[in-house]
Amino acid sequence: MAMSLRHQIGALSGTAISSETESVSGEAPAKTTLTTSALRRASVTNLRVSMQNSGTEADKVLTSPPLSPVTCHALAEARDALAETAEVEKEDKLGKGVPVYVMMPLDSVKMDNTVNRKKAMKASLQALKSAGVEGIMMDVWWGLVERDAPGEYNWGGYTELLEMAKKQGLKVQAVMSFHQCGGNVGDSCSIPLPGWVVEEIDKDPDLAYTDQWGRRNHEYISLGCDTLPVLKGRTPVECYSDFMRAFRDRFENLLGDTIVEIQVGMGPAGELRYPSYPEKDGIWKFPGIGAFQCYDKYMLSSLKVAAEEAGKPEWGYTGPTDAGEYNNWPEDTTFFKKESGGWDCPYGQFFLTWYSQMLLDHGERILQSTKAIFENKGVKISVKVAGIHWHYGTRSHAPELTAGYYNTRFRDGYLPIAQMLARHDAIFNFTCIEMRDHEQPQDARCAPEKLVRQVALATREAQVPLAGENALPRYDEFAHEQILQASSLNIDSQSDNRQMCAFTYLRMNPDLFHPDNWKRFIAFVKKMNDGKDVHHCREQVEREAEHFVHVTQPLVQETAVALMQ
């Protein structure tokens, strides 16, 4: 039996969604009669976000009568008017708002290189498009595409998934995911690095990031061997470049039209950082300070050279030995304590400069190649930076330091990153945009809002575009309002008309399509699309979102019927 739209969406993560039909208020749905004249009177403004599919009450199609010819004719007229209005609005609003993208499920493409839950995927993409979403973000996993042998690429499910997005008119942010999936916040599936890469790591464990206790991290190849031919005759950077070049050649017809952005992965979770706070096996727990990842032989070799060049060869044998453990707090350690901590002494300054510069050099090498590969292809390039907001209120900012961001009370660690991205015309993509300071554990000195402000100032000074993501799934109005405020970049009197260039919403899943969450999401997307200079009437926005769920029920039914054919 064909699945209803809500069941198809629920299947996206294997989570069942109740088949009971109910209104947004939770009461039994009232019987609705919608005449042709009533449909014509419905405001096109209220209909514009719902033309294709809402995905919230599709189960009603199972008990509703077929649409009459009169209603079908009215629907066709509404579609024509809506299409014309949408084009006018698109021209009027061009450049005024912040386009919203939605992250796809991590397992959108299965291990056999086919699209996962294809019918549900089509239904969901249609619903997102109807909501006014600009596009989607999808991980293109190295561990799937080049899994079997070096230089052999199977684009399988990505070909079909990209065509599905194109058909719906959705733009795509394609993430070149050179990391392992599994072990980080929100990782719902396991996708290892390519098998032949894992074989090389087994032969030479120092290809993996290593902490001072000898624990290896297999999320991402250690940047210490970026330029060494350790992967069956190729360097890691050459492997990344060959992968992106193959992607460009395979999907060249979609670049600049459907595929509008390439986000290049540069570390664990796709972020430019060291794997200093791994959740896998309970190694790290929030809000621990994490641990430095510089104890593989390749990183130590670089440290030795840097120490000799600094005239301090004795500093080149190891990293800090008094920096505590993963779940310590700054004051538990000698290195990170606020008074006379090693981080603020000559050795600490030398080490942190080297450690952070290695990360910057890693980004520089990959971006140089990425820019050359996608030059004149009509796509933007972006890099994701982690929003490490815990212990931000301390002097040492220990969790940021272990991750590779040399940011302390006395030093701006994000300006050098922004300047590096600016040199390659790349976008600075930052997380934790939805968080507010008072929502976080106060004893851990969390300050996400202050961190976002610092990053916004750094990107403004470096003249690099800033984009955002939410770090955790949030569907409440408080989170939405915080995103709206942060994306407006109203920092001070010099902010002018600057806004984030895009926002990517975490993530497409059954919870997003719950009636209440969906209604709030519709309102949120509308506000983001309108831009910061538009003063919103809350009641009006709520009415439009309500119309999306209720007034356009025939349109939703029509789409659901088409999906089940």
Side-chain angles (χ1 to χ4, degrees):
M1 184 177 73
M3 298 172 69
S4 70
L5 183 57
R6 287 180 67 198
H7 281 91
Q8 291 181 37
I9 291 168
L12 272 169
S13 68
T15 304
I17 295 183
S18 172
S19 61
E20 276 189 63
T21 305
E22 57 184 18
S23 67
V24 173
S25 65
E27 299 173 353
K31 198 168 187 179
T32 303
T33 303
L34 186 61
T35 64
T36 305
S37 59
L39 181 62
R40 283 172 173 158
R41 285 197 303 269
S43 167
V44 172
T45 299
N46 291 333
L47 291 174
R48 70 177 179 272
V49 297
S50 55
M51 189 60 244
Q52 296 188 42
N53 194 352
S54 78
T56 58
E57 295 199 351
D59 283 345
K60 293 182 180 180
V61 74
L62 299 176
T63 56
S64 300
L67 300 180
S68 68
V70 175
T71 302
C72 288
H73 177 69
L75 292 175
E77 288 186 352
R79 270 197 299 272
D80 293 340
L82 182 59
E84 182 178 347
T85 303
E87 286 301 314
V88 173
E89 287 189 348
K90 185 176 180 180
E91 292 180 8
D92 289 344
K93 292 184 178 180
L94 191 62
K96 289 185 178 180
V98 179
V100 176
Y101 292 76
V102 175
M103 294 186 202
M104 302 295 284
L106 295 168
D107 61 349
S108 293
V109 173
K110 297 187 291 184
M111 294 301 289
D112 63 357
N113 296 96
T114 61
V115 174
N116 201 4
R117 300 173 291 269
K118 190 183 304 183
K119 290 183 179 179
M121 191 69 71
K122 288 181 180 178
S124 301
L125 292 179
Q126 192 170 20
L128 292 178
K129 178 62 178 179
S130 72
V133 165
E134 180 78 5
I136 59 175
M137 172 181 278
M138 64 172 67
D139 288 279
V140 183
W141 295 104
W142 186 27
L144 288 182
V145 175
E146 200 179 356
R147 179 181 56 197
D148 298 327
E152 293 184 10
Y153 307 101
N154 184 342
W155 300 108
Y158 291 106
T159 301
E160 189 171 5
L161 194 54
L162 285 165
E163 285 298 328
M164 289 167 63
K166 178 182 178 182
K167 186 174 182 180
Q168 292 300 331
L170 291 166
K171 306 298 183 184
V172 173
Q173 298 168 319
V175 183
M176 304 290 102
S177 296
F178 298 120
H179 62 286
Q180 167 187 291
C181 180
N184 277 299
V185 177
D187 284 355
S188 57
C189 63
S190 177
I191 302 174
L193 298 179
W196 54 274
V197 173
V198 175
E199 289 177 4
E200 295 304 303
I201 297 175
D202 289 341
K203 295 176 186 176
D204 181 4
D206 283 289
L207 296 179
Y209 281 117
T210 309
D211 64 22
Q212 70 180 89
W213 304 280
R215 186 184 288 109
R216 309 287 187 178
N217 186 296
H218 295 86
E219 292 182 68
Y220 188 85
I221 299 293
S222 170
L223 61 81
C225 57
D226 268 357
T227 60
L228 301 175
V230 294
L231 298 180
K232 297 190 181 299
R234 289 188 296 167
T235 70
V237 172
E238 286 174 338
C239 290
Y240 307 148
S241 299
D242 291 344
F243 183 92
M244 291 188 287
R245 194 174 294 107
F247 179 87
R248 177 201 66 189
D249 294 344
R250 175 61 186 82
F251 300 110
E252 191 158 13
N253 63 312
L254 299 178
L255 295 176
D257 181 16
T258 297
I259 302 170
V260 297
E261 182 179 322
I262 301 295
Q263 185 175 108
V264 55
M266 294 193 174
E271 296 167 335
L272 178 65
R273 65 173 175 88
Y274 294 99
S276 57
Y277 50 100
E279 282 201 312
K280 189 175 182 181
D281 301 324
I283 295 172
W284 171 87
K285 294 181 180 179
F286 177 86
I289 60 175
F292 292 112
Q293 306 290 313
C294 59
Y295 293 88
D296 64 78
K297 68 182 181 183
Y298 301 106
M299 291 290 286
L300 288 176
S301 175
S302 173
L303 177 61
K304 185 175 184 294
V305 171
E308 290 173 350
E309 290 177 350
K312 294 287 186 178
E314 67 273 18
W315 289 351
Y317 295 105
T318 184
T321 57
D322 57 354
E325 299 182 3
Y326 285 97
N327 294 306
N328 283 146
W329 287 32
E331 290 304 309
D332 296 334
T333 75
T334 300
F335 189 81
F336 294 119
K337 66 180 183 179
K338 63 182 180 181
E339 298 290 349
S340 302
W343 64 275
D344 200 29
C345 296
Y347 165 73
Q349 293 168 358
F350 157 78
F351 172 80
L352 293 170
T353 298
W354 166 80
Y355 189 68
S356 62
Q357 189 60 50
M358 289 287 284
L359 191 66
L360 289 169
D361 292 344
H362 174 67
E364 195 95 46
R365 281 188 288 268
I366 297 178
L367 278 178
Q368 186 174 7
S369 176
T370 306
K371 186 177 180 181
I373 291 168
F374 292 103
E375 193 168 14
N376 300 321
K377 296 300 178 182
V379 298
K380 298 175 181 177
I381 298 171
S382 69
V383 174
K384 183 156 65 170
V385 177
I388 304 175
H389 59 85
W390 53 103
H391 300 297
Y392 181 87
T394 63
R395 293 184 186 179
S396 65
H397 293 232
E400 292 164 89
L401 299 184
T402 57
Y405 307 152
Y406 191 178
N407 190 56
T408 70
R409 183 167 296 183
F410 314 120
R411 187 181 190 278
D412 186 346
Y414 297 99
L415 181 58
I417 297 174
Q419 291 169 333
M420 182 269 290
L421 298 179
R423 286 193 290 273
H424 300 281
D425 301 316
I427 296 169
F428 192 123
N429 186 286
F430 198 62
T431 62
C432 82
I433 304 301
E434 84 285 10
M435 296 181 177
R436 296 183 292 178
D437 291 353
H438 73 268
E439 295 173 337
Q440 313 305 318
Q442 296 304 299
D443 55 346
R445 308 291 294 276
C446 300
E449 291 179 81
K450 295 180 180 66
L451 174 58
V452 170
R453 184 178 186 277
Q454 181 185 353
V455 168
L457 289 169
T459 55
R460 185 177 71 184
E461 182 174 342
Q463 297 186 322
V464 64
L466 177 61
E469 296 179 3
N470 49 314
L472 299 172
R474 291 280 297 271
Y475 310 99
D476 56 285
E477 290 181 351
F478 296 111
H480 291 167
E481 288 301 320
Q482 183 61 32
I483 294 169
L484 284 161
Q485 179 180 334
S487 65
S488 69
L489 298 182
N490 287 328
I491 307 168
D492 52 33
S493 59
Q494 301 179 44
S495 297
D496 299 324
N497 294 321
R498 187 170 182 252
Q499 299 180 95
M500 285 187 179
C501 60
F503 181 82
T504 305
Y505 194 89
L506 173 75
R507 168 180 320 268
M508 191 177 85
N509 61 23
D511 289 336
L512 174 61
F513 294 99
H514 181 279
D516 288 342
N517 294 343
W518 185 244
K519 183 176 71 171
R520 286 190 289 265
F521 179 71
I522 295 298
F524 164 72
V525 172
K526 172 178 169 48
K527 292 176 183 178
M528 292 287 280
N529 288 341
D530 284 347
K532 67 178 182 179
D533 294 328
V534 176
H535 298 285
H536 303 281
C537 171
R538 181 174 180 175
E539 290 75 14
Q540 180 183 350
V541 173
E542 287 181 350
R543 282 197 302 271
E544 292 191 6
E546 196 76 35
H547 274 298
F548 181 84
V549 177
H550 295 291
V551 176
T552 62
Q553 183 180 338
L555 303 179
V556 177
Q557 290 179 332
E558 183 188 40
T559 303
V561 169
L563 284 169
M564 292 191 292
Q565 289 177 348

